[in-house]
Amino acid sequence: AQTIHQWPVAEIKAVGSPLSLGCTIKGKSSPNLYWYWQATGGTLQQLFYSITVGQVESVVQLNLSASRPKDDQFILSTEKLLLSHSGFYLCAWRTDNYAEQFFGPGTRLTVL
Amino acid sequence: QQQVRQSPQSLTVWEGETAILNCSYEDSTFDYFPWYWQFPRESPALLIAIRPVSNKKEDGRFTIFFNKREKKLSLHITDSQPGDSATYFCAASANNNAGAKLTFGGGTRLTVRP
């Protein structure tokens, strides 16, 4: 069975500080991985996706970047946080069955 | 441009009633429509999904009705239970590609009163 882990669970950061969020999936080789962002009380917006190591495609940047350093790892980062970055960050993986995507537990980010 | 719309924004039903959540879309190339539910402070979970080859998909108390001509679909929850109280998101995706971008609607917050 596949398991997806995100870290940290929650972060409180200052405006202008750097950020790095991580996602790891186990039990699935060469997974398609995705980053989503959800504002409090809002809908989900896809940010990035990656189909293989070293390759990342941007959907909506929001002054963020993503990297795929390992087959099972997806990283979301920025050098300078904005207030608008606050929200719930979700990593997802896709099954081989068409476009089914399953979400990780998420990281809740508060920027002050 | 909001490509996937949901209504109502919030819905309250009594336990045992049928809840009907609506979704419409604009892009005719969308060919996969999953519904996710999300409980407070949790991540969304896939509930049920449909592809346009069918106009109905049923899973227990949850049924999707799909109208391709009108670009509308609805999620019916029969015999609603308080545990069904959550925010429901309709999403859509076009083409079986690696990006498989899911476009989400704004969500419907369902409350089931005992």
Side-chain angles (χ1 to χ4, degrees):
Chain A
Q2 296 83 13
T3 58
I4 185 167
H5 174 61
Q6 289 188 241
W7 72 92
V9 172
E11 277 266 49
I12 299 176
K13 304 277 281 186
V15 169
S17 62
L19 174 77
S20 180
L21 304 180
C23 170
T24 297
I25 181 167
K26 299 299 182 186
K28 178 86 171 85
S29 61
S30 303
N32 292 342
L33 295 174
Y34 306 83
W35 277 112
Y36 287 83
W37 174 74
Q38 184 180 32
T40 301
T43 189
L44 294 100
Q45 187 169 38
Q46 193 176 75
L47 301 176
F48 300 94
Y49 70 90
S50 172
I51 62 173
T52 191
V53 175
Q55 186 231 33
V56 175
E57 299 295 332
S58 171
V59 179
V60 175
Q61 281 194 323
L62 298 182
N63 293 307
L64 297 166
S65 61
S67 63
R68 180 88 176 260
K70 300 178 183 178
D71 186 56
D72 64 351
Q73 197 173 83
F74 205 16
I75 305 296
L76 184 70
S77 60
T78 183
E79 292 185 0
K80 197 174 281 189
L81 278 166
L82 307 173
L83 285 174
S84 58
H85 285 137
S86 291
F88 197 28
Y89 288 85
L90 295 148
C91 181
W93 65 280
R94 178 188 169 188
T95 70
D96 295 328
N97 180 16
Y98 206 67
E100 281 187 347
Q101 292 186 22
F102 294 93
F103 290 92
T107 295
R108 204 162 295 277
L109 174 66
T110 303
V111 182
L112 303 174
Chain B
Q1 182 187 16
Q2 193 175 6
Q3 295 202 44
V4 178
R5 291 188 175 86
Q6 290 185 246
S7 64
Q9 281 188 306
S10 64
L11 175 66
T12 298
V13 300
W14 294 102
E15 183 174 356
E17 291 185 333
T18 295
I20 299 176
L21 289 66
N22 300 304
C23 180
S24 64
Y25 62 97
E26 298 178 2
D27 190 338
S28 58
T29 65
F30 285 149
D31 56 3
Y32 172 70
F33 302 89
W35 285 81
Y36 288 81
W37 58 348
Q38 184 177 29
F39 298 95
R41 304 198 68 78
E42 293 186 11
S43 60
L46 181 62
L47 177 61
I48 187 172
I50 193 168
R51 298 183 185 112
V53 293
S54 305
N55 56 19
K56 180 180 177 181
K57 177 74 176 292
E58 195 169 351
D59 185 356
R61 296 185 294 109
F62 300 89
T63 302
I64 299 174
F65 293 94
F66 182 75
N67 185 323
K68 186 175 182 179
R69 183 179 61 84
E70 294 187 9
K71 297 182 183 175
K72 292 181 178 179
L73 54 162
S74 59
L75 176 68
H76 292 225
I77 307 172
T78 57
D79 188 25
S80 295
Q81 302 296 310
D84 297 333
S85 297
T87 299
Y88 291 77
F89 290 100
C90 172
S93 179
N95 302 322
N96 187 16
N97 56 56
K101 179 185 175 185
L102 279 176
T103 300
F104 282 81
T108 294
R109 178 176 288 184
L110 174 67
T111 302
V112 181
R113 297 206 184 281

